[in-house]
Amino acid sequence: MRKFFAMAAVSALAMTGAHADVTEEDLAKDQATTDSVLTNGMGRDQQRFSPLKIINKDNVQNVVPAWAFSLGGEKQRGQETQPLIYDGVMYITGSYSRLYAIDVKTGEEIWQYDARLPEGILPCCDVVNRGAAIYGDKIYFGTLDARIVALDLKTGDVVWRKKIADYKAGYSYTAAPVIVNGLIVTGNSGGEFGIVGEVQARDAETGELVWTRPVIEGHMGTFKGEDSTMTGTLNATWPGDLWKTGGGATWLGGTYDQDTNTLVFGAGNPAPWNSWLRAAGNPSGTEGDNLYAASRIGINPENGDIKWHYQTTPREGWDFDGVNEVIPFVDASGNKRYATADRNGYFYILNRDDGAFVNAWPFVSQISWADGIGEDGRPKFNEGNRPGDPSKAADGKKGEVVFAVPSFLGGKNWMPMAHNPDTGLFYVPSNEWGMDIWNEPISYKKGAAYLGSGFTIKPIFEDHIGSLKAIDPNTGDIKWEYKNNAPLWGGVMTTAGGLVFTGMPEGQFKAFDADTGKELWSFQTGSGIVGQPITWDMDGEQYIAVASGWGGAVPLWGGEVAKKVNYLNQGGSIWVFKLPKQLASSN
């Protein structure tokens, strides 16, 4: 690894004094503590809501840049990070597994850590990193060779570095960790390579494993180095030995619900992509559901045992990963619920006590793989919209083509939505597209793509692909929609000031009226935004930050869509904005 220091900035940092180590109590109240951002999601419930309202509908047009920071060098690619703020320092991760500490007042670099990545890493969808986590006197983040690293907050020195999984088998790691009661919790990436999804918890001080929980049935969990409980029941919903390479990557990270003391993780696509081999002789029944792939899973954070699961797409066959964030909220009747916008195009409401299905509505257009979700929470499949038998596309030939909506990049992909308790709405970054998908020959080989399907993405509307939607979780109604020519791939933030912030691939960082969707402010950052905005207050002023740097899965996997947006410039920078005190009351 490589570490660089800006010594003047280090000296300046040393003069600011130091807060006490970050505690579990600090993490628990992260959303309400406005002078810091300690967790991914601006709170472990992932609501991405700030109670700040210094910047509001009446004065947001006065927001101006405070400083910008270049990530430097040739290592640009997609910048999907969410910044963290603590003790006068901003911490950001960058592509190719880098981490920076920046003086939050001046934008000067304090230190930089570059992971020493080996040859042969296999990230499916760009060399991104989505953020870090702070606890005690350390900051933690994952690397593309499927490792988790703990660094000293002040110096960037490595405290410990642990292996999550074998990168040579296709594993990687790109998400921000979750920290609960002194445990650092991670998932894994690599769902296109026949890996097995797993959640791991380590002692944050030492990095030693405390528990592991595979998310594909038949695999054994561990607790303190000993076997604990099996995930599911062996061969209950998987035929033969396919469970051994069953996919289900836990690649986006998890939510912690403090009220129920539950970690909620999503599991990705089953492997191989093509569902024909996984039918277990009964395509229309539960025998072939392939648990717990394409599911949301409630986990006991103390020992890794599964509390409950809900599968959004049984016997999934379109790469509709079930990893998207699950957000606790309270509905209009006072019920404690979860909301999740799935890659399959449906917006789900679940019970927070047991993960049970409550309701679901489509949030994108022309969904073709299912004709709705039944009262039992199971999709009403359109079986004619599924890729066929891989063996009938022999000799490397392309099989029968079907057109499916959404595309495999989903009605909503990784880019996080936000919930505003004041409006009661969820703000969902979505995309309107479909795909030609067909069957191809398939066999498993360690470290090789394990698909059995080919595909190409196509737009379904002429005037837009991206769509930011405000959804009422009580009815499923779309209260307003902002349409964008290029796909949306960045996170969303909302505030008590009645605002919604998100970025565009064309480079604009925008603010919208949370009630009406009216665009109130825009700033051109110079490269496409696929990062996650945050806000905090300092010295009586409210600040907002977002990463700019076009990349991610769209230009790599986007088919006709990738060609449509190939003019967009890459970059690699952090932009920080503020509302000057003298303009705070100006209309």
mmCIF file of all heavy atoms in Angstrom, residues 55-64 499 501 511 520-521 544 579 586:
data_model
loop_
_atom_site.group_PDB
_atom_site.id
_atom_site.type_symbol
_atom_site.label_atom_id
_atom_site.label_comp_id
_atom_site.label_asym_id
_atom_site.label_seq_id
_atom_site.Cartn_x
_atom_site.Cartn_y
_atom_site.Cartn_z
ATOM 1 N N ILE A 55 -30.346 25.604 4.965
ATOM 2 C CA ILE A 55 -30.618 25.654 3.528
ATOM 3 C C ILE A 55 -32.020 25.105 3.319
ATOM 4 O O ILE A 55 -32.337 23.998 3.758
ATOM 5 C CB ILE A 55 -29.596 24.833 2.734
ATOM 6 C CG1 ILE A 55 -28.181 25.387 2.950
ATOM 7 C CG2 ILE A 55 -29.942 24.831 1.252
ATOM 8 C CD1 ILE A 55 -27.095 24.546 2.314
ATOM 9 N N ASN A 56 -32.857 25.889 2.650
ATOM 10 C CA ASN A 56 -34.254 25.488 2.462
ATOM 11 C C ASN A 56 -34.758 25.948 1.106
ATOM 12 O O ASN A 56 -33.994 26.486 0.292
ATOM 13 C CB ASN A 56 -35.113 26.036 3.611
ATOM 14 C CG ASN A 56 -34.957 27.547 3.779
ATOM 15 O OD1 ASN A 56 -35.183 28.308 2.844
ATOM 16 N ND2 ASN A 56 -34.532 27.978 4.977
ATOM 17 N N LYS A 57 -36.046 25.740 0.867
ATOM 18 C CA LYS A 57 -36.625 26.073 -0.430
ATOM 19 C C LYS A 57 -36.450 27.548 -0.787
ATOM 20 O O LYS A 57 -36.306 27.898 -1.958
ATOM 21 C CB LYS A 57 -38.127 25.744 -0.425
ATOM 22 C CG LYS A 57 -38.470 24.300 -0.227
ATOM 23 C CD LYS A 57 -39.995 24.134 -0.208
ATOM 24 C CE LYS A 57 -40.403 22.738 0.164
ATOM 25 N NZ LYS A 57 -41.887 22.587 0.159
ATOM 26 N N ASP A 58 -36.469 28.407 0.230
ATOM 27 C CA ASP A 58 -36.440 29.848 -0.026
ATOM 28 C C ASP A 58 -35.055 30.388 -0.348
ATOM 29 O O ASP A 58 -34.929 31.456 -0.953
ATOM 30 C CB ASP A 58 -36.998 30.603 1.189
ATOM 31 C CG ASP A 58 -38.470 30.319 1.422
ATOM 32 O OD1 ASP A 58 -39.185 30.091 0.424
ATOM 33 O OD2 ASP A 58 -38.893 30.312 2.588
ATOM 34 N N ASN A 59 -33.993 29.671 0.090
ATOM 35 C CA ASN A 59 -32.658 30.249 -0.109
ATOM 36 C C ASN A 59 -31.679 29.334 -0.814
ATOM 37 O O ASN A 59 -30.512 29.688 -0.986
ATOM 38 C CB ASN A 59 -32.072 30.693 1.242
ATOM 39 C CG ASN A 59 -31.950 29.540 2.239
ATOM 40 O OD1 ASN A 59 -31.789 28.389 1.868
ATOM 41 N ND2 ASN A 59 -32.018 29.875 3.528
ATOM 42 N N VAL A 60 -32.111 28.143 -1.235
ATOM 43 C CA VAL A 60 -31.167 27.209 -1.837
ATOM 44 C C VAL A 60 -30.521 27.783 -3.101
ATOM 45 O O VAL A 60 -29.403 27.406 -3.465
ATOM 46 C CB VAL A 60 -31.855 25.851 -2.130
ATOM 47 C CG1 VAL A 60 -32.916 25.991 -3.217
ATOM 48 C CG2 VAL A 60 -30.828 24.789 -2.506
ATOM 49 N N GLN A 61 -31.199 28.729 -3.754
ATOM 50 C CA GLN A 61 -30.606 29.322 -4.960
ATOM 51 C C GLN A 61 -29.343 30.116 -4.645
ATOM 52 O O GLN A 61 -28.562 30.452 -5.560
ATOM 53 C CB GLN A 61 -31.617 30.215 -5.681
ATOM 54 C CG GLN A 61 -31.914 31.543 -5.000
ATOM 55 C CD GLN A 61 -33.056 31.440 -4.005
ATOM 56 O OE1 GLN A 61 -33.407 30.349 -3.561
ATOM 57 N NE2 GLN A 61 -33.663 32.585 -3.678
ATOM 58 N N ASN A 62 -29.084 30.383 -3.359
ATOM 59 C CA ASN A 62 -27.893 31.137 -2.961
ATOM 60 C C ASN A 62 -26.710 30.237 -2.603
ATOM 61 O O ASN A 62 -25.645 30.739 -2.216
ATOM 62 C CB ASN A 62 -28.222 32.025 -1.753
ATOM 63 C CG ASN A 62 -29.256 33.086 -2.078
ATOM 64 O OD1 ASN A 62 -29.256 33.650 -3.173
ATOM 65 N ND2 ASN A 62 -30.155 33.348 -1.138
ATOM 66 N N VAL A 63 -26.871 28.941 -2.709
ATOM 67 C CA VAL A 63 -25.783 28.016 -2.392
ATOM 68 C C VAL A 63 -24.656 28.176 -3.410
ATOM 69 O O VAL A 63 -24.890 28.275 -4.625
ATOM 70 C CB VAL A 63 -26.308 26.563 -2.377
ATOM 71 C CG1 VAL A 63 -25.171 25.560 -2.387
ATOM 72 C CG2 VAL A 63 -27.192 26.342 -1.159
ATOM 73 N N VAL A 64 -23.410 28.187 -2.893
ATOM 74 C CA VAL A 64 -22.240 28.394 -3.751
ATOM 75 C C VAL A 64 -21.149 27.380 -3.391
ATOM 76 O O VAL A 64 -21.141 26.821 -2.287
ATOM 77 C CB VAL A 64 -21.667 29.822 -3.589
ATOM 78 C CG1 VAL A 64 -22.666 30.858 -4.069
ATOM 79 C CG2 VAL A 64 -21.282 30.083 -2.136
ATOM 80 N N LEU A 499 -36.037 19.835 0.921
ATOM 81 C CA LEU A 499 -35.249 19.695 -0.302
ATOM 82 C C LEU A 499 -34.868 18.238 -0.557
ATOM 83 O O LEU A 499 -34.759 17.431 0.370
ATOM 84 C CB LEU A 499 -33.979 20.539 -0.208
ATOM 85 C CG LEU A 499 -34.186 22.048 -0.063
ATOM 86 C CD1 LEU A 499 -32.870 22.730 0.254
ATOM 87 C CD2 LEU A 499 -34.815 22.638 -1.326
ATOM 88 N N PHE A 501 -31.780 16.336 -2.905
ATOM 89 C CA PHE A 501 -30.562 16.542 -3.684
ATOM 90 C C PHE A 501 -30.161 15.248 -4.375
ATOM 91 O O PHE A 501 -30.188 14.176 -3.761
ATOM 92 C CB PHE A 501 -29.402 16.985 -2.788
ATOM 93 C CG PHE A 501 -29.549 18.369 -2.204
ATOM 94 C CD1 PHE A 501 -30.234 18.561 -1.015
ATOM 95 C CD2 PHE A 501 -29.000 19.466 -2.852
ATOM 96 C CE1 PHE A 501 -30.363 19.830 -0.461
ATOM 97 C CE2 PHE A 501 -29.129 20.744 -2.313
ATOM 98 C CZ PHE A 501 -29.814 20.923 -1.111
ATOM 99 N N ALA A 511 -30.999 20.431 -6.764
ATOM 100 C CA ALA A 511 -31.885 20.451 -5.609
ATOM 101 C C ALA A 511 -33.316 20.612 -6.096
ATOM 102 O O ALA A 511 -33.597 21.449 -6.966
ATOM 103 C CB ALA A 511 -31.524 21.594 -4.665
ATOM 104 N N LEU A 520 -34.964 23.619 -8.077
ATOM 105 C CA LEU A 520 -34.708 24.904 -7.430
ATOM 106 C C LEU A 520 -33.275 25.383 -7.581
ATOM 107 O O LEU A 520 -33.005 26.581 -7.399
ATOM 108 C CB LEU A 520 -35.046 24.807 -5.931
ATOM 109 C CG LEU A 520 -36.478 24.419 -5.577
ATOM 110 C CD1 LEU A 520 -36.625 24.267 -4.072
ATOM 111 C CD2 LEU A 520 -37.467 25.453 -6.123
ATOM 112 N N TRP A 521 -32.340 24.478 -7.898
ATOM 113 C CA TRP A 521 -30.917 24.864 -7.952
ATOM 114 C C TRP A 521 -30.157 23.807 -8.729
ATOM 115 O O TRP A 521 -30.520 22.616 -8.700
ATOM 116 C CB TRP A 521 -30.366 24.981 -6.534
ATOM 117 C CG TRP A 521 -28.884 25.235 -6.404
ATOM 118 C CD1 TRP A 521 -28.246 26.441 -6.472
ATOM 119 C CD2 TRP A 521 -27.859 24.250 -6.154
ATOM 120 N NE1 TRP A 521 -26.890 26.274 -6.278
ATOM 121 C CE2 TRP A 521 -26.631 24.939 -6.081
ATOM 122 C CE3 TRP A 521 -27.866 22.867 -5.983
ATOM 123 C CZ2 TRP A 521 -25.424 24.286 -5.849
ATOM 124 C CZ3 TRP A 521 -26.666 22.208 -5.754
ATOM 125 C CH2 TRP A 521 -25.446 22.927 -5.687
ATOM 126 N N ILE A 544 -22.860 21.081 2.056
ATOM 127 C CA ILE A 544 -23.301 19.917 1.296
ATOM 128 C C ILE A 544 -22.114 19.433 0.471
ATOM 129 O O ILE A 544 -21.349 20.243 -0.064
ATOM 130 C CB ILE A 544 -24.478 20.267 0.366
ATOM 131 C CG1 ILE A 544 -25.672 20.762 1.180
ATOM 132 C CG2 ILE A 544 -24.882 19.062 -0.493
ATOM 133 C CD1 ILE A 544 -26.728 21.443 0.350
ATOM 134 N N LEU A 579 -24.088 27.600 2.160
ATOM 135 C CA LEU A 579 -24.923 28.786 2.101
ATOM 136 C C LEU A 579 -24.278 29.830 2.999
ATOM 137 O O LEU A 579 -24.284 29.693 4.224
ATOM 138 C CB LEU A 579 -26.340 28.477 2.587
ATOM 139 C CG LEU A 579 -27.314 29.660 2.621
ATOM 140 C CD1 LEU A 579 -27.576 30.177 1.217
ATOM 141 C CD2 LEU A 579 -28.617 29.255 3.302
ATOM 142 N N SER A 586 -31.893 35.228 2.662
ATOM 143 C CA SER A 586 -32.255 35.879 1.399
ATOM 144 C C SER A 586 -33.131 34.969 0.553
ATOM 145 O O SER A 586 -32.912 33.773 0.460
ATOM 146 C CB SER A 586 -30.986 36.239 0.618
ATOM 147 O OG SER A 586 -30.172 37.104 1.377
#
